[in-house]
Amino acid sequence: MTLLTEVGTLDVLEAEAVHVIRECAAECERPVLLFSGGKDSIVLAHLAVKAFAPAGLPFPLMHVDTGHNFQEVIDYRDQFVARIDERLIVASVQDSIDQGRVQDETGPRASRNRLQTTTLLDAIAEHRFDAAFGGARRDEERSRAKERFFSHRDAFGQWDPRNQRPEPWTIYNTKLKAGEHFRVFPLSNWTEIDIWAYIGREGLSLPSIYFAHQREVFERDGMLLAVDDHIERYSHEQTFTETVRFRTVGDMTCTGSIRSTATTVAEVLAETRASDVSERGASRADDKTSEAAMEDRKRNGYF
Amino acid sequence: MAATLHVVAVGSVDDGKSTLIGRLLHDTGHLRGDEIEAVAEASRKRGRKGIDLALLTDGLRAEREQGITIDVAYRSFDADGRRILLGDAPGHVQYTRNMVTAAAGADAAILLVDAKSGTTPQTRRHLALCAMLGVRDVVACINKIDLVDYSQARFDEIAAELRAAAAAVDGPRITAIPLSALNGVNVVERSPETPWYDGPSVLEVLRDLDQPIVETAFRMPVQWVIRHDDGVNDIRGLAGRIDSGSVSVGDEIIALPSGVTSRIARIEVLGEERAAASAPLSVTLHLEDDVDVARGDVISTVTNAPQVATRFRATVAWLDEQPLTAPMRLEARQGARTVPVIVEELHERLELDTMLQVAADQLDVNDIGIVNVLAASPMVIEPYAISRGMGSLVLIDPATNRTVAAVMVDEVLAGL
Ligand SMILES: Nc1nc2c(ncn2[C@@H]2O[C@H](COP(=O)(O)OP(=O)(O)OP(=O)(O)O)[C@@H](O)[C@H]2O)c(=O)[nH]1
Ligand SMILES: [Mg+2]
């Protein structure tokens, strides 16, 4: 039939993600979409808007703000939310620190990455959310590769990777007991390349730090970290100016940039295809502490 | 571009599934430098000689400690321009539920058998599960062929055993390959170690697999009704993912189980107006008439519509520690609908040693059997062989919320 447009890989991934988003919205009482202003959550929020258009989203967005974010990302976040005209909840790690729920780390290795878990779980409890959409992909990390679309969390927010619910076909068991919740991952089967190709296809704008720019950086553990008041440097860590971009956007203290001259989506795609380093290898210090670092964080309720 | 194929590696514990997946990704250049270094580092830490490629997908702490796979890992794979989603399933019998998760919806399976130990009941269980789940192609890899001196006789013997087992369960097409996942023999290219073998390598089979069979009858479960009043129009869109077939503006449709009919006025594919749309797209349909359609209803073409029934016979893969005995009250989740059901009767159980159906009064965890199910309210169903979407469901125990069974409808029966 000539009326039918050819269905490509991105169309299938898009349809799958929207199916999962709609299932969750229909079955869960109080979902929330975790929005960091990073490329995956931008794609996720864009898909959610499409899933319910022309009506608005049947759930709010929530940002877990470590207080150590790139200003470009916070600005982008606020513009994005204003443009789609939806509700944003900001859960602040600083508030958790001020309330004595967690303790700020100190020294050059201090990071608020781990502290986010408490803030996130407290916010889920406070707002009685029973499902939190996340933009995680299976290609990011080996414990993520094991996760279901509807990933069950017990009343303590914990993930039990040894006892996940069967998830045959595209049928999701959405039953919960009081206090439990789901983490829902509509982008599970997308790769980093798919995300960039989709951003290009849909003409999505991104925070400027995803493209090559001049920045004052210093090198640590083979990564280029941003020079910023939030990160204490060892005395031997020299700062210098470099043309870089970020492959992921997270807490400043554990997100590295890469040398790059890519200023367009097409150039980023070409660089990413040719790169011999994975996304996490290039940019996340948090996984370098141990080989099960991500699994351990996830078990305790991390994103 | 061809649709993404879903391929799952199955077979008994330790027969080499994870090693093969790692080898395939490694030898085709899918692994980046830091990923290879991380696997090499993990191998050294465990005192392995060389690099243990199984550690690539065995990413959980408990998996690495025990050297077995517990839950399925998914990796995207490009087989010479064809996108494949590879699932690495666990072989251990205790984690059969995770194998079912990975194999449901798969187009093809890579079934590994240890050339030294041969087929086991677990090999046959996985083969039977693939058959009932409708996996069309099985690439049978007689692995660790290096341990039997690359023996053609041993290869032929196991391949014949597998073909017989597959025939017993009306099974899928089998392609047999002598393999050493460890040494990369016949993984990417045909290797000199098996000069007597002139068939394809694993990569070549994956590249040349047939496209998934396309079900042509239009069906779409309604997931969500989009209501929006923009001041001019009060919009009521039926949002869902097309399960099979295609639909065009002007088509006459029926909504089931109610049976109301209307015509398609507009089709939106995520914000874009289209004259037609097909599976597997997520769409919003607008009808000409303001008929009562809600979440859980199925939109279908008027001719050749699925049945509405409360009773059916089905094959079940029982996944829960608590055994199934009839009668048992459970909940069925199918399409976008949840319905209380009673498993009325348990007919048979598949005996894995003989591959014969035997009379049974209980299904234990990981058993496969045949049951009759009675639903509390009408369901829109079809045999699984005709419609994957309308013929598949899961059973949930409402007391524990556990998913206790994957179910495939064999036959729709007359109601009470
Ligand atoms: N000699 C030899 N050993 C192999 C071969 N393939 C795998 N092995 C070894 O067999 C053991 C089990 O391999 P895995 O790949 O973990 O097996 P698996 O099928 O993934 O196991 P489960 O996922 O736990 O069911 C490991 O020690 C491998 O190194 C092979 O071709 N030859
Ligand atoms: Mg394995």
Short mmCIF file of all heavy atoms in Angstrom, two decimals, chain B residues 9-22 48 51-55 57-58 63 66-71 88-93 95 112 114 122 126 142-147 179-185, ligand 1:
data_model
loop_
_atom_site.label_atom_id
_atom_site.label_comp_id
_atom_site.label_asym_id
_atom_site.label_seq_id
_atom_site.Cartn_x
_atom_site.Cartn_y
_atom_site.Cartn_z
N ALA B 9 19.84 -16.03 23.06
CA ALA B 9 20.73 -17.19 23.26
C ALA B 9 20.18 -18.02 24.41
O ALA B 9 19.96 -17.49 25.51
CB ALA B 9 22.14 -16.73 23.56
N VAL B 10 19.93 -19.29 24.15
CA VAL B 10 19.35 -20.18 25.17
C VAL B 10 20.15 -21.47 25.24
O VAL B 10 21.09 -21.69 24.48
CB VAL B 10 17.86 -20.50 24.85
CG1 VAL B 10 17.02 -19.22 24.81
CG2 VAL B 10 17.73 -21.25 23.53
N GLY B 11 19.73 -22.36 26.16
CA GLY B 11 20.42 -23.63 26.33
C GLY B 11 20.78 -23.83 27.79
O GLY B 11 20.65 -22.93 28.62
N SER B 12 21.27 -25.01 28.08
CA SER B 12 21.54 -25.43 29.45
C SER B 12 22.65 -24.59 30.10
O SER B 12 23.46 -23.98 29.40
CB SER B 12 21.95 -26.91 29.42
OG SER B 12 21.71 -27.49 30.67
N VAL B 13 22.69 -24.61 31.42
CA VAL B 13 23.65 -23.81 32.16
C VAL B 13 25.08 -24.17 31.76
O VAL B 13 25.40 -25.33 31.50
CB VAL B 13 23.43 -23.99 33.69
CG1 VAL B 13 23.73 -25.41 34.14
CG2 VAL B 13 24.22 -22.98 34.49
N ASP B 14 25.91 -23.15 31.60
CA ASP B 14 27.34 -23.33 31.31
C ASP B 14 27.65 -23.83 29.90
O ASP B 14 28.79 -24.21 29.63
CB ASP B 14 27.98 -24.32 32.30
CG ASP B 14 28.60 -23.59 33.48
OD1 ASP B 14 28.64 -22.35 33.44
OD2 ASP B 14 29.04 -24.28 34.41
N ASP B 15 26.69 -23.86 29.02
CA ASP B 15 26.97 -24.38 27.68
C ASP B 15 27.61 -23.34 26.76
O ASP B 15 27.97 -23.66 25.63
CB ASP B 15 25.72 -25.00 27.06
CG ASP B 15 25.40 -26.36 27.67
OD1 ASP B 15 26.15 -26.79 28.57
OD2 ASP B 15 24.41 -26.99 27.28
N GLY B 16 27.74 -22.10 27.26
CA GLY B 16 28.55 -21.13 26.52
C GLY B 16 27.80 -19.97 25.88
O GLY B 16 28.34 -19.30 25.01
N LYS B 17 26.58 -19.68 26.36
CA LYS B 17 25.78 -18.61 25.76
C LYS B 17 26.45 -17.24 25.90
O LYS B 17 26.61 -16.51 24.93
CB LYS B 17 24.39 -18.55 26.43
CG LYS B 17 23.59 -19.81 26.23
CD LYS B 17 22.31 -19.80 27.04
CE LYS B 17 22.51 -19.96 28.54
NZ LYS B 17 23.08 -21.24 28.95
N SER B 18 26.84 -16.93 27.13
CA SER B 18 27.43 -15.60 27.37
C SER B 18 28.77 -15.47 26.65
O SER B 18 29.09 -14.42 26.10
CB SER B 18 27.61 -15.36 28.87
OG SER B 18 26.36 -15.45 29.52
N THR B 19 29.52 -16.56 26.63
CA THR B 19 30.80 -16.54 25.92
C THR B 19 30.57 -16.27 24.43
O THR B 19 31.30 -15.49 23.82
CB THR B 19 31.53 -17.88 26.11
OG1 THR B 19 31.60 -18.18 27.51
CG2 THR B 19 32.94 -17.83 25.54
N LEU B 20 29.55 -16.90 23.87
CA LEU B 20 29.27 -16.69 22.45
C LEU B 20 28.86 -15.25 22.17
O LEU B 20 29.34 -14.62 21.21
CB LEU B 20 28.17 -17.65 21.96
CG LEU B 20 27.70 -17.38 20.52
CD1 LEU B 20 28.83 -17.56 19.52
CD2 LEU B 20 26.51 -18.25 20.16
N ILE B 21 27.97 -14.71 23.00
CA ILE B 21 27.52 -13.32 22.79
C ILE B 21 28.72 -12.39 22.88
O ILE B 21 28.91 -11.49 22.04
CB ILE B 21 26.46 -12.92 23.84
CG1 ILE B 21 25.23 -13.84 23.75
CG2 ILE B 21 26.08 -11.45 23.72
CD1 ILE B 21 24.25 -13.53 22.68
N GLY B 22 29.56 -12.61 23.89
CA GLY B 22 30.76 -11.78 24.05
C GLY B 22 31.67 -11.91 22.84
O GLY B 22 32.18 -10.92 22.31
N ARG B 48 41.45 -15.76 35.63
CA ARG B 48 41.25 -16.47 34.36
C ARG B 48 42.48 -16.30 33.47
O ARG B 48 43.11 -15.24 33.48
CB ARG B 48 40.04 -15.91 33.60
CG ARG B 48 38.76 -15.93 34.36
CD ARG B 48 38.11 -17.31 34.38
NE ARG B 48 37.25 -17.43 35.56
CZ ARG B 48 36.06 -16.86 35.66
NH1 ARG B 48 35.57 -16.20 34.66
NH2 ARG B 48 35.34 -17.00 36.76
N ILE B 51 41.06 -13.65 28.32
CA ILE B 51 39.92 -12.80 28.61
C ILE B 51 38.65 -13.64 28.56
O ILE B 51 38.40 -14.35 27.60
CB ILE B 51 39.90 -11.58 27.65
CG1 ILE B 51 38.59 -10.82 27.71
CG2 ILE B 51 40.24 -11.95 26.24
CD1 ILE B 51 38.67 -9.47 27.03
N ASP B 52 37.88 -13.59 29.65
CA ASP B 52 36.64 -14.36 29.74
C ASP B 52 35.51 -13.49 29.22
O ASP B 52 34.98 -12.63 29.93
CB ASP B 52 36.40 -14.76 31.19
CG ASP B 52 35.14 -15.60 31.34
OD1 ASP B 52 34.40 -15.75 30.34
OD2 ASP B 52 34.91 -16.09 32.46
N LEU B 53 35.13 -13.73 27.96
CA LEU B 53 34.16 -12.84 27.31
C LEU B 53 32.76 -12.95 27.90
O LEU B 53 31.92 -12.08 27.67
CB LEU B 53 34.15 -13.11 25.80
CG LEU B 53 35.38 -12.57 25.07
CD1 LEU B 53 35.46 -13.11 23.65
CD2 LEU B 53 35.37 -11.04 25.05
N ALA B 54 32.50 -14.01 28.68
CA ALA B 54 31.18 -14.12 29.34
C ALA B 54 30.99 -12.97 30.33
O ALA B 54 29.85 -12.58 30.62
CB ALA B 54 31.05 -15.46 30.05
N LEU B 55 32.09 -12.40 30.82
CA LEU B 55 31.99 -11.33 31.81
C LEU B 55 31.47 -10.03 31.20
O LEU B 55 31.14 -9.09 31.91
CB LEU B 55 33.35 -11.09 32.48
CG LEU B 55 33.83 -12.24 33.37
CD1 LEU B 55 35.26 -12.01 33.82
CD2 LEU B 55 32.91 -12.40 34.57
N THR B 57 28.56 -9.70 29.43
CA THR B 57 27.13 -9.60 29.73
C THR B 57 26.79 -10.03 31.14
O THR B 57 25.76 -9.63 31.67
CB THR B 57 26.28 -10.42 28.73
OG1 THR B 57 26.78 -11.75 28.73
CG2 THR B 57 26.31 -9.82 27.36
N ASP B 58 27.61 -10.87 31.74
CA ASP B 58 27.35 -11.24 33.14
C ASP B 58 27.76 -10.07 34.02
O ASP B 58 28.83 -10.06 34.63
CB ASP B 58 28.11 -12.52 33.51
CG ASP B 58 27.44 -13.77 32.93
OD1 ASP B 58 26.26 -13.67 32.52
OD2 ASP B 58 28.08 -14.82 32.89
N GLU B 63 26.33 -12.76 39.50
CA GLU B 63 26.65 -13.53 38.30
C GLU B 63 28.15 -13.77 38.19
O GLU B 63 28.61 -14.86 37.88
CB GLU B 63 26.14 -12.81 37.05
CG GLU B 63 24.62 -12.72 36.99
CD GLU B 63 24.11 -11.98 35.76
OE1 GLU B 63 24.77 -11.02 35.31
OE2 GLU B 63 23.06 -12.37 35.26
N GLN B 66 29.42 -16.26 40.83
CA GLN B 66 29.11 -17.66 40.61
C GLN B 66 29.46 -18.15 39.21
O GLN B 66 29.38 -19.34 38.93
CB GLN B 66 27.61 -17.91 40.83
CG GLN B 66 27.16 -17.58 42.23
CD GLN B 66 25.65 -17.63 42.33
OE1 GLN B 66 25.05 -18.67 42.16
NE2 GLN B 66 25.03 -16.49 42.56
N GLY B 67 29.79 -17.23 38.32
CA GLY B 67 30.10 -17.63 36.95
C GLY B 67 28.90 -18.13 36.17
O GLY B 67 29.03 -18.90 35.22
N ILE B 68 27.70 -17.72 36.59
CA ILE B 68 26.50 -18.07 35.81
C ILE B 68 25.69 -16.81 35.52
O ILE B 68 25.85 -15.79 36.19
CB ILE B 68 25.58 -19.07 36.55
CG1 ILE B 68 25.05 -18.47 37.86
CG2 ILE B 68 26.30 -20.38 36.81
CD1 ILE B 68 23.84 -19.20 38.40
N THR B 69 24.84 -16.92 34.51
CA THR B 69 23.93 -15.82 34.21
C THR B 69 22.67 -15.99 35.04
O THR B 69 22.15 -17.11 35.15
CB THR B 69 23.59 -15.81 32.72
OG1 THR B 69 24.81 -15.75 31.97
CG2 THR B 69 22.73 -14.63 32.34
N ILE B 70 22.18 -14.89 35.63
CA ILE B 70 20.95 -14.95 36.42
C ILE B 70 19.80 -14.32 35.65
O ILE B 70 18.72 -14.88 35.55
CB ILE B 70 21.16 -14.24 37.78
CG1 ILE B 70 22.10 -15.08 38.65
CG2 ILE B 70 19.82 -14.01 38.49
CD1 ILE B 70 22.52 -14.42 39.94
N ASP B 71 20.04 -13.15 35.10
CA ASP B 71 18.96 -12.52 34.33
C ASP B 71 19.47 -12.13 32.95
O ASP B 71 20.67 -11.97 32.73
CB ASP B 71 18.38 -11.32 35.08
CG ASP B 71 16.89 -11.14 34.77
OD1 ASP B 71 16.47 -11.48 33.64
OD2 ASP B 71 16.16 -10.69 35.65
N ASP B 88 20.82 -12.35 26.12
CA ASP B 88 21.63 -13.44 26.66
C ASP B 88 20.88 -14.02 27.85
O ASP B 88 20.89 -13.46 28.94
CB ASP B 88 23.00 -12.90 27.08
CG ASP B 88 23.88 -13.99 27.70
OD1 ASP B 88 23.59 -15.18 27.49
OD2 ASP B 88 24.84 -13.63 28.40
N ALA B 89 20.21 -15.14 27.63
CA ALA B 89 19.34 -15.71 28.67
C ALA B 89 20.13 -16.58 29.63
O ALA B 89 21.17 -17.13 29.27
CB ALA B 89 18.22 -16.52 28.01
N PRO B 90 19.63 -16.75 30.86
CA PRO B 90 20.28 -17.67 31.79
C PRO B 90 19.90 -19.11 31.48
O PRO B 90 18.77 -19.39 31.06
CB PRO B 90 19.72 -17.25 33.14
CG PRO B 90 18.42 -16.60 32.85
CD PRO B 90 18.50 -16.05 31.45
N GLY B 91 20.84 -20.02 31.69
CA GLY B 91 20.56 -21.43 31.44
C GLY B 91 20.09 -22.17 32.68
O GLY B 91 19.43 -23.20 32.58
N HIS B 92 20.43 -21.63 33.85
CA HIS B 92 20.11 -22.34 35.08
C HIS B 92 18.60 -22.51 35.22
O HIS B 92 17.84 -21.56 35.01
CB HIS B 92 20.66 -21.57 36.28
CG HIS B 92 20.72 -22.38 37.53
ND1 HIS B 92 19.58 -22.75 38.22
CD2 HIS B 92 21.76 -22.91 38.20
CE1 HIS B 92 19.93 -23.47 39.27
NE2 HIS B 92 21.25 -23.59 39.27
N VAL B 93 18.17 -23.69 35.61
CA VAL B 93 16.75 -24.01 35.67
C VAL B 93 16.01 -23.07 36.61
O VAL B 93 14.86 -22.69 36.38
CB VAL B 93 16.53 -25.50 36.04
CG1 VAL B 93 17.01 -25.81 37.44
CG2 VAL B 93 15.08 -25.89 35.84
N TYR B 95 16.29 -20.03 36.91
CA TYR B 95 16.00 -18.74 36.30
C TYR B 95 15.27 -18.87 34.97
O TYR B 95 15.36 -18.01 34.10
CB TYR B 95 17.29 -17.92 36.16
CG TYR B 95 17.94 -17.71 37.49
CD1 TYR B 95 19.14 -18.31 37.82
CD2 TYR B 95 17.30 -16.94 38.46
CE1 TYR B 95 19.72 -18.14 39.07
CE2 TYR B 95 17.86 -16.77 39.72
CZ TYR B 95 19.07 -17.36 40.02
OH TYR B 95 19.62 -17.19 41.25
N LEU B 112 22.50 -23.29 22.54
CA LEU B 112 23.82 -23.88 22.72
C LEU B 112 23.75 -25.21 23.44
O LEU B 112 22.98 -25.37 24.39
CB LEU B 112 24.73 -22.92 23.49
CG LEU B 112 25.24 -21.81 22.57
CD1 LEU B 112 24.41 -20.58 22.71
CD2 LEU B 112 26.70 -21.54 22.78
N ASP B 114 26.50 -28.24 24.93
CA ASP B 114 27.88 -28.63 25.20
C ASP B 114 28.17 -29.94 24.45
O ASP B 114 27.49 -30.95 24.68
CB ASP B 114 28.03 -28.80 26.72
CG ASP B 114 29.46 -29.09 27.14
OD1 ASP B 114 30.17 -29.79 26.39
OD2 ASP B 114 29.85 -28.62 28.22
N GLN B 122 17.25 -29.64 30.44
CA GLN B 122 17.14 -28.18 30.34
C GLN B 122 17.27 -27.72 28.89
O GLN B 122 16.60 -26.79 28.47
CB GLN B 122 18.19 -27.52 31.25
CG GLN B 122 18.16 -26.01 31.29
CD GLN B 122 16.91 -25.46 31.98
OE1 GLN B 122 15.95 -26.19 32.25
NE2 GLN B 122 16.90 -24.17 32.22
N HIS B 126 14.26 -25.66 27.08
CA HIS B 126 14.41 -24.40 26.32
C HIS B 126 13.92 -24.55 24.88
O HIS B 126 13.30 -23.65 24.33
CB HIS B 126 15.87 -23.93 26.35
CG HIS B 126 16.22 -23.18 27.61
ND1 HIS B 126 17.35 -22.42 27.74
CD2 HIS B 126 15.55 -23.08 28.79
CE1 HIS B 126 17.38 -21.88 28.96
NE2 HIS B 126 16.31 -22.27 29.61
N ILE B 142 26.51 -26.54 18.44
CA ILE B 142 27.13 -27.62 19.20
C ILE B 142 28.47 -27.07 19.66
O ILE B 142 29.45 -27.05 18.89
CB ILE B 142 27.32 -28.89 18.32
CG1 ILE B 142 26.09 -29.13 17.43
CG2 ILE B 142 27.68 -30.10 19.18
CD1 ILE B 142 24.78 -29.30 18.14
N ASN B 143 28.47 -26.55 20.89
CA ASN B 143 29.58 -25.72 21.37
C ASN B 143 30.64 -26.57 22.09
O ASN B 143 30.41 -27.72 22.43
CB ASN B 143 29.04 -24.65 22.31
CG ASN B 143 30.08 -23.62 22.68
OD1 ASN B 143 30.95 -23.29 21.87
ND2 ASN B 143 30.01 -23.12 23.90
N LYS B 144 31.76 -25.94 22.32
CA LYS B 144 32.93 -26.59 22.95
C LYS B 144 33.39 -27.77 22.11
O LYS B 144 33.85 -28.79 22.63
CB LYS B 144 32.61 -27.04 24.40
CG LYS B 144 31.95 -25.95 25.24
CD LYS B 144 31.96 -26.25 26.72
CE LYS B 144 31.10 -25.24 27.48
NZ LYS B 144 31.10 -25.41 28.93
N ILE B 145 33.24 -27.63 20.81
CA ILE B 145 33.64 -28.69 19.87
C ILE B 145 35.15 -28.93 19.98
O ILE B 145 35.65 -30.01 19.64
CB ILE B 145 33.18 -28.33 18.43
CG1 ILE B 145 33.17 -29.53 17.51
CG2 ILE B 145 33.98 -27.18 17.85
CD1 ILE B 145 31.91 -30.35 17.55
N ASP B 146 35.86 -27.93 20.51
CA ASP B 146 37.31 -28.09 20.76
C ASP B 146 37.57 -29.19 21.79
O ASP B 146 38.61 -29.84 21.77
CB ASP B 146 37.93 -26.77 21.24
CG ASP B 146 37.15 -26.14 22.40
OD1 ASP B 146 35.98 -25.77 22.20
OD2 ASP B 146 37.72 -26.03 23.51
N LEU B 147 36.62 -29.41 22.68
CA LEU B 147 36.81 -30.42 23.73
C LEU B 147 36.59 -31.84 23.23
O LEU B 147 36.90 -32.81 23.92
CB LEU B 147 35.90 -30.15 24.93
CG LEU B 147 36.12 -28.83 25.67
CD1 LEU B 147 35.16 -28.70 26.85
CD2 LEU B 147 37.57 -28.71 26.15
N LEU B 179 30.69 -25.43 16.93
CA LEU B 179 31.14 -24.14 17.43
C LEU B 179 32.16 -24.27 18.56
O LEU B 179 32.07 -25.18 19.38
CB LEU B 179 29.92 -23.39 17.98
CG LEU B 179 30.09 -21.92 18.33
CD1 LEU B 179 29.96 -21.08 17.07
CD2 LEU B 179 29.04 -21.49 19.34
N SER B 180 33.10 -23.35 18.57
CA SER B 180 33.85 -23.11 19.79
C SER B 180 33.74 -21.62 20.07
O SER B 180 34.42 -20.81 19.44
CB SER B 180 35.32 -23.53 19.64
OG SER B 180 36.02 -23.12 20.80
N ALA B 181 32.83 -21.30 20.99
CA ALA B 181 32.63 -19.89 21.35
C ALA B 181 33.92 -19.34 21.95
O ALA B 181 34.30 -18.20 21.71
CB ALA B 181 31.48 -19.75 22.34
N LEU B 182 34.59 -20.20 22.72
CA LEU B 182 35.82 -19.79 23.39
C LEU B 182 36.89 -19.36 22.39
O LEU B 182 37.51 -18.32 22.52
CB LEU B 182 36.34 -20.94 24.25
CG LEU B 182 37.46 -20.62 25.22
CD1 LEU B 182 36.98 -19.66 26.29
CD2 LEU B 182 38.00 -21.90 25.85
N ASN B 183 37.08 -20.17 21.36
CA ASN B 183 38.15 -19.90 20.39
C ASN B 183 37.67 -19.17 19.15
O ASN B 183 38.44 -18.93 18.23
CB ASN B 183 38.82 -21.22 19.97
CG ASN B 183 39.37 -21.97 21.17
OD1 ASN B 183 39.70 -21.37 22.18
ND2 ASN B 183 39.44 -23.29 21.07
N GLY B 184 36.39 -18.88 19.08
CA GLY B 184 35.87 -18.15 17.93
C GLY B 184 35.73 -18.99 16.68
O GLY B 184 35.75 -18.47 15.57
N VAL B 185 35.57 -20.30 16.84
CA VAL B 185 35.44 -21.18 15.68
C VAL B 185 34.02 -21.14 15.14
O VAL B 185 33.05 -21.42 15.86
CB VAL B 185 35.85 -22.63 16.05
CG1 VAL B 185 35.49 -23.60 14.95
CG2 VAL B 185 37.34 -22.68 16.34
N1 LIG C 1 36.52 -25.36 25.95
C1 LIG C 1 35.53 -24.51 25.76
N2 LIG C 1 34.97 -23.89 26.81
C2 LIG C 1 33.97 -23.03 26.60
C3 LIG C 1 33.48 -22.75 25.29
N3 LIG C 1 32.47 -21.87 25.38
C4 LIG C 1 32.34 -21.58 26.70
N4 LIG C 1 33.24 -22.28 27.44
C5 LIG C 1 33.40 -22.22 28.90
O1 LIG C 1 32.24 -22.72 29.52
C6 LIG C 1 31.99 -22.02 30.75
C7 LIG C 1 30.58 -21.47 30.78
O2 LIG C 1 30.45 -20.50 29.77
P1 LIG C 1 29.31 -19.37 29.81
O3 LIG C 1 29.42 -18.62 28.54
O4 LIG C 1 29.34 -18.62 31.07
O5 LIG C 1 28.02 -20.30 29.79
P2 LIG C 1 26.49 -19.85 29.75
O6 LIG C 1 25.79 -20.73 28.81
O7 LIG C 1 26.39 -18.40 29.50
O8 LIG C 1 26.03 -20.18 31.24
P3 LIG C 1 24.69 -19.66 31.96
O9 LIG C 1 24.39 -18.34 31.41
O10 LIG C 1 24.96 -19.64 33.42
O11 LIG C 1 23.62 -20.65 31.63
C8 LIG C 1 33.04 -20.94 30.84
O12 LIG C 1 34.06 -21.37 31.68
C9 LIG C 1 33.52 -20.80 29.41
O13 LIG C 1 34.82 -20.34 29.31
C10 LIG C 1 34.10 -23.43 24.20
O14 LIG C 1 33.76 -23.26 23.04
N5 LIG C 1 35.12 -24.30 24.49
#
